[in-house]
Amino acid sequence: MKLVSQVLIPLVCSSLLPAQAQNVSQSLKEGFVHPGLSHKLSDLERMKYMVKQKKEPWISSFTRLNNVNSFGRCDYKVRGSQSITTLDATNRNNYDKFKYDGMAAYHNALLWAITGETCHAEKAVEIFNSWSHLTGLKSGGTRSLDAGRVIWKMLEGAEIIKATYSGWKPADIQAFSDMLVYPGYSTTTVPEKAIKQQQVTFYWNMYNGDPGRHGNQGLFGFRGIMAMGIFLDNHTMYQRALRYLKGESHPDDDLPYQAGPFKVSDKPDKTTEFFDEYKIRTPDSAADDYGFNEQISHYIWPNGQGQESSRDQGHALLGVSILVTMAEMAWNQGDDLYGFLNHRILSGLEYFYKYNLSYVHKYDDQPIPWEPTAQNGEFLQKKDRSGRWYSKEINPYFENSTAKTSRGTMVYAEKAPIGEMALGHYRDRLGLDQDKYLWTERAWQLSIDKTGYYERAGTQVDHPGWGGLTERRAPMSPGDPVQLNQQNNQLVYQTHLIPGTIEAEDFDQFATGGEGHTYHDSDPQNHGGAYRPDEGVDLYQVQGRTYVGQVNAGEWLGYTVEVTSAGTYTINLTYQGLASGSKIKIMLGKQDLTGQVSLPATHGKWSTLTLVTGVKLPAGMANLRIYFSGKDQAIRPDAISFK
């Protein structure tokens, strides 16, 4: 059976360039954004520019990744070989080789993107090619976890390399892609015999999660499915993971999800102070798409309590961490899992961190450890979705053992580096009130204070890692910079460079709509209907020129820019002044570059006006904003240039 997903071939490039321009406006988008797992092209550019300018925390995190981490090296010794055809998760040997190679592929891909050193890209390609012949994965029963745990970082690296480097040959990309779904991808037929004989690789070990177990185990698989769908340009596969997390039915053109509910024993097979565990007997196949512990609503309960809170605290955070990484992938493809069920993922983080952090550190508003109980109404006693596990009390120990505590051990970023990614969204993108992410931010800050450094790799392939480099967003830039690829009439995630010209219509993109985040417009309709019709900014296109029209006082536009070198600049505006009385002001972060500048009428002609000369700009990345005031609808901005 052949892989039916189209594999896109990278364009020839001598430096970090997008392999294919991807439209990010929802009404125009065709295909996926690439690279588009945890990092878009603009994210990689942010890392590169911040490191070049030696900005903190990017430079410290990069230095540690580059100098201390043994996986991100051009001389890394690849563990994969043609003699290994089956990964064996039961004895760990070959399995761990794949895991370490996946770490090395991802780290080398990052370093290629940041430094442009070809040896890193070549090393990543060597790793991918060394594993392209796999035909099986042997598991002791946790198939979804075993497959998903090791494939994610490998795919993160593969996505970056495929989208930015021309040296990975098309035939080798196809071989790697075919390996992921061996013995072949299908939306109608499950290779039951091959699965039973463990002669399948990744997709068929993950496609239905792990409905009979704790949520983190199935979530590992669905994270792998989501990442694989993006890498393979397979919308059905991507939607399989996305829809399942949201509790929706399977895609119409795909296999159903696991039926349920399960039948369980009448009495618990195991009883502890913290939980009762029941034995699952036979599945009840009366209802397809039943939905088990991996779904967000079943893994994080309405009060923020995690399905595994009564198991131990390491696992309680693990599943939420996986959901954060999946939410970041989905956001990069224009889908909002972060906000699902009123920010349920954030509620899970806050519940975990409050319970664990208050145990190891005192705060004025929480001087004693927080103890959620059934009696005070802050702990829910209930069965999980599988029926296998009944939560009775939150567990500060390790499942069955009370010899050692798990409480408070996972709040530090060297073990579970997830704070930067979560805060990068809820704090820096959305700008939520601090009380919404209070405990997540406290844990992140305490970790930095205690260790003296920013996030490291964490527990190898479980968590994202290196967040000070990869996830820290540019100051005051909630959105992502985009530019129009004129040839394909598509937007690409690419940073605006100063000196240079910024087209007014290329304001930053925000996945759920930029109003209040990357622009402010007085009404939600794009009255011009051009270019980015889903946005509220009024965009017009006449004779090949795209411009902003119907500008009203109080409106603004935002752009993420990189000032490539500190210096003195002249700022010009190209516009059409329909009448006198309009004013404009340009800010770079908190620096007022122009003051209020009155714009004279141009009598219906396009004109370029010097707004200011001799303005000093510091090097680095920042948010540029253009504010409009004065007379309504008297100006049509076209472009701003810095010389």
Side-chain angles (χ1 to χ4, degrees), residues 150-178:
V150 295
I151 196 57
W152 170 47
K153 287 290 177 72
M154 184 75 80
L155 286 170
E156 288 276 6
E159 173 72 0
I160 293 171
I161 293 298
K162 189 179 80 165
T164 65
Y165 176 63
S166 63
W168 195 7
K169 298 178 181 178
D172 292 337
I173 295 175
Q174 188 66 56
F176 181 82
S177 301
D178 289 342

Side-chain angles (χ1 to χ4, degrees), residues 534-609:
D534 289 348
E535 301 284 8
V537 179
D538 303 307
L539 300 178
Y540 295 81
Q541 195 168 49
V542 178
Q543 295 180 343
R545 183 192 294 269
T546 304
Y547 61 90
V548 180
Q550 294 200 27
V551 177
N552 293 320
E555 296 181 343
W556 55 265
L557 299 168
Y559 310 81
T560 300
V561 301
E562 165 67 13
V563 181
T564 58
S565 59
T568 302
Y569 290 85
T570 295
I571 305 177
N572 297 317
L573 171 70
T574 301
Y575 74 105
Q576 191 178 80
L578 304 181
S580 60
S582 288
K583 295 180 181 180
I584 190 171
K585 181 174 72 171
I586 299 179
M587 301 280 293
L588 184 68
K590 297 180 179 180
Q591 180 184 0
D592 187 343
L593 302 184
T594 63
Q596 292 282 359
V597 179
S598 296
L599 303 176
T602 65
H603 308 289
K605 297 180 180 180
W606 292 103
S607 179
T608 299
L609 175 70

Side-chain angles (χ1 to χ4, degrees), residues 15-126:
S15 59
L16 184 60
L17 293 172
Q20 176 162 323
Q22 294 292 337
N23 191 327
V24 296
S25 178
Q26 287 300 294
S27 66
L28 300 175
K29 186 163 70 174
E30 297 176 0
F32 288 97
V33 172
H34 293 298
L37 298 189
S38 293
H39 318 300
K40 300 182 296 297
L41 178 64
S42 55
D43 297 322
L44 298 172
E45 287 183 331
R46 180 179 65 242
M47 301 175 211
K48 178 175 67 174
Y49 294 137
M50 289 301 200
V51 167
K52 182 179 179 181
Q53 301 291 350
K54 301 188 184 302
K55 301 288 186 179
E56 292 290 0
W58 295 270
I59 185 61
S60 291
S61 189
F62 167 78
T63 300
R64 185 171 290 274
L65 168 66
N66 195 29
N67 297 337
V68 178
N69 168 49
S70 62
F71 293 104
R73 296 186 179 277
C74 292
D75 60 357
Y76 170 83
K77 186 176 181 181
V78 178
R79 291 161 165 81
S81 70
Q82 293 186 1
S83 64
I84 304 174
T85 58
T86 301
L87 296 186
D88 190 346
T90 61
N91 68 22
R92 313 293 299 183
N93 186 23
N94 293 343
Y95 181 83
D96 282 348
K97 289 181 178 179
F98 189 95
K99 177 180 69 175
Y100 294 134
D101 274 4
M103 293 275 288
Y106 172 54
H107 291 158
N108 273 284
L110 280 178
L111 290 170
W112 144 251
I114 296 167
T115 69
E117 295 177 6
T118 307
C119 65
H120 289 296
E122 291 172 343
K123 180 58 62 175
V125 169
E126 181 186 352

